[in-house]
Amino acid sequence: MNTPTPAPKIIRLIMALRSAGITDTAVLSAMERIPREIFIPRAMQDQAYEDIALPIGRGQTISQPFIVAYMTQALELNDRMKVLEIGTGSGYQACILSKLVRRVYTIERHKPLLEHAEKIFEQLKIRNITAIAGDGMKGWPQQAPFDRIIVTAAAQDSPPQALLEQLSIGGIMIVPVGRTGHQVLKRYKREGDDTYAVKDLLPVRFVPLLPDLARYSENADDPVENDDGA
Ligand code: SAH
């Protein structure tokens, strides 16, 4: 089957990512194959291939493409890996990961966002993502250990202990850490049972990592677009 030619807007974005330092061709090709516009509310779809974060409902955002590409590249993935993502959001990052690894597990605390993301996985016929609604700060003990963990919301002081424990020895976790306005993207490499090598990568801006499932009323006035109008 022929791969459809990507639209000029996607090509422009990929070239911009390249000049911004994304050199991993597998990552660039995954970003070329996943149409970002379907994760974005209709009213903003014309901005889908601009390198900016956009709102996705429930007070949350889909990350800027450069950050998605940067974090994905920093994970140093291969097709045998099992990856845990915390913060499914729109599902975009999970779809990018799904093209690069064996299986993706993803957790979201806002049930309506999770359900919307699952519809998109179905629509794109992506079958190697397992998604649940829950508190990602607790990780997913039944599926641990993970070769890689990516957290797409910012931990206040340090990554949750449960996530550090659910990383395989030799595994890498990419996680934003810090309070609003002072966040740094960090890389944790687990070198032994209790030893982690930590490296600061980049200043970033993420929504905060929050405990527990979101209550039904939380941001309920901010509906998920493209939902069934419920
Ligand atoms: N990866 C997403 C971007 C997510 S924005 C994408 O590609 O679109 C961050 C998400 O993390 C939000 O949807 C927020 O609800 C979620 N989140 C915050 N704390 C969480 C937690 N403890 N467990 C699971 N999800 C969490």
Side-chain angles (χ1 to χ4, degrees):
M1 205 170 74
N2 291 328
T3 316
T5 312
K9 281 193 207 175
I10 305 194
I11 304 280
R12 255 201 312 275
L13 175 62
I14 300 301
M15 283 167 61
L17 295 176
R18 244 210 256 252
S19 12
I22 308 301
T23 50
D24 186 327
T25 51
V27 172
L28 291 168
S29 129
M31 303 245 342
E32 199 174 293
R33 285 155 67 200
I34 301 293
R36 188 168 181 256
E37 77 263 12
I38 66 176
F39 300 85
I40 288 170
R42 228 168 272 127
M44 282 174 293
Q45 277 176 357
D46 59 327
Q47 299 174 68
Y49 300 103
E50 288 174 33
D51 195 14
I52 50 176
L54 291 166
I56 52 169
R58 305 275 150 174
Q60 307 305 321
T61 53
I62 177 171
S63 308
Q64 180 194 347
F66 170 73
I67 292 295
V68 172
Y70 186 92
M71 291 174 88
T72 309
Q73 176 167 276
L75 283 168
E76 298 173 25
L77 302 170
N78 71 48
D79 60 7
R80 295 178 302 280
M81 287 177 172
K82 181 168 144 183
V83 179
L84 175 65
E85 178 195 30
I86 308 305
T88 315
S90 68
Y92 179 66
Q93 173 77 70
C95 287
I96 300 290
L97 295 170
S98 78
K99 298 292 177 200
L100 298 164
V101 304
R102 183 167 56 84
R103 182 151 284 280
V104 180
Y105 294 87
T106 182
I107 309 177
E108 170 57 53
R109 67 187 287 279
H110 280 281
K111 210 163 177 218
L113 289 181
L114 198 272
E115 286 168 355
H116 187 249
E118 284 187 300
K119 281 189 203 154
I120 298 184
F121 304 154
E122 190 66 23
Q123 187 187 335
L124 292 178
K125 301 188 167 56
I126 293 176
R127 316 240 185 256
N128 61 339
I129 302 178
T130 312
I132 50 164
D135 179 1
M137 290 170 91
K138 301 189 176 114
W140 199 324
Q142 299 83 351
Q143 297 297 342
F146 298 95
D147 303 302
R148 299 291 187 259
I149 300 180
I150 173 171
V151 186
T152 65
Q156 290 237 316
D157 304 305
S158 56
Q161 192 57 34
L163 297 182
L164 288 166
E165 284 167 9
Q166 290 173 31
L167 194 59
S168 334
I169 309 279
I172 295 173
M173 168 156 62
I174 303 295
V175 52
V177 179
R179 284 154 208 264
T180 312
H182 303 276
Q183 296 170 3
V184 177
L185 190 65
K186 290 178 182 264
R187 172 192 200 262
Y188 282 72
K189 182 159 194 195
R190 188 170 196 180
E191 296 193 321
D193 276 342
D194 298 312
T195 43
Y196 296 83
V198 188
K199 194 175 153 193
D200 286 3
L201 301 178
L202 202 71
V204 285
R205 281 175 73 114
F206 276 87
V207 298
L209 189 64
L210 298 172
D212 307 322
L213 257 184
R215 286 196 320 276
Y216 192 65
S217 59
E218 211 177 300
N219 304 107
D221 53 335
D222 181 12
V224 181
E225 262 239 18
N226 304 338
D227 224 2
D228 300 328

